[in-house]
Amino acid sequence: MLKRLIIPHGAAGAAATAAREGYPFEICGALAGRFEAEEARVARIVPLPNSAEESQRRRRFTIDPVLIVRLDRELRRSGESLVGFYHSHPDHEAAPSATDLEFFRLWPETVWLIIPVKSGEPGLVRAWWLASDAEKATELEVVSGA
Ligand SMILES: [Zn+2]
């Protein structure tokens, strides 16, 4: 059972900057790294376009599955894993929405990092995990590494 997400300051900072610059729209991307026992260790973030319709981008995100499959293949080739995804929640708490949960189910066994952005300023991130047989997402401890 996964318990922790470890993210380097650089990667966390890059995600926060993207979330600030993308405000008031949701920004999104993938987390590359590796799984190690109860921990998911992020090495870097990989920004991906939010392909939701423009009128919906303040409240939702969509990542083209073709990009995800391609990225997953590239990462495996270099010995990394697709650890999960990140996206921002403009003026909304960092908990998964109903549409987020639908998306989680498409990519099981991945970590979901959510960056809340209040009035343009990124706040404390939270990370979630949805086990393949679970109804609800469980929260992971987020540890900021060097
Ligand atoms: Zn969301």
Side-chain angles (χ1 to χ4, degrees):
M1 187 68 181
L2 201 70
K3 293 198 169 143
R4 234 166 276 116
L5 176 74
I6 299 178
I7 184 163
H9 294 305
T17 299
R20 180 189 288 119
E21 289 175 355
Y23 183 86
F25 300 105
E26 291 198 10
I27 56 92
C28 51
L31 304 169
R34 62 194 159 88
F35 288 104
E36 216 177 76
E38 296 178 333
E39 296 173 352
R41 290 180 170 267
V42 175
R44 60 197 169 87
I45 65 161
V46 182
L48 295 168
N50 180 353
S51 52
E53 275 182 51
E54 195 169 347
S55 61
Q56 299 192 321
R57 251 177 252 157
R58 285 166 191 259
R59 272 287 168 262
R60 64 180 303 165
F61 76 100
T62 306
I63 301 176
D64 182 348
V66 173
L67 294 181
I68 298 174
V69 170
R70 192 183 298 157
L71 176 68
D72 187 38
R73 201 180 302 140
E74 282 171 14
L75 292 175
R76 281 168 201 268
R77 219 175 277 147
S78 64
E80 286 180 295
S81 297
L82 177 66
V83 164
F85 301 90
Y86 66 91
H87 72 285
S88 63
H89 272 184
D91 297 312
H92 199 70
E93 60 168 341
S97 65
T99 48
D100 286 344
L101 286 170
E102 280 171 35
F103 207 90
F104 286 26
R105 287 184 214 285
L106 295 178
W107 306 97
E109 312 284 293
T110 54
V111 171
W112 292 78
L113 182 75
I114 302 180
I115 309 148
V117 189
K118 200 172 188 319
S119 308
E121 272 313 299
L124 269 188
V125 299
R126 292 169 79 183
W128 306 83
W129 171 263
L130 184 69
S132 46
D133 56 348
E135 286 280 302
K136 287 167 81 177
T138 54
E139 186 162 10
L140 302 176
E141 180 190 1
V142 179
V143 180
S144 204

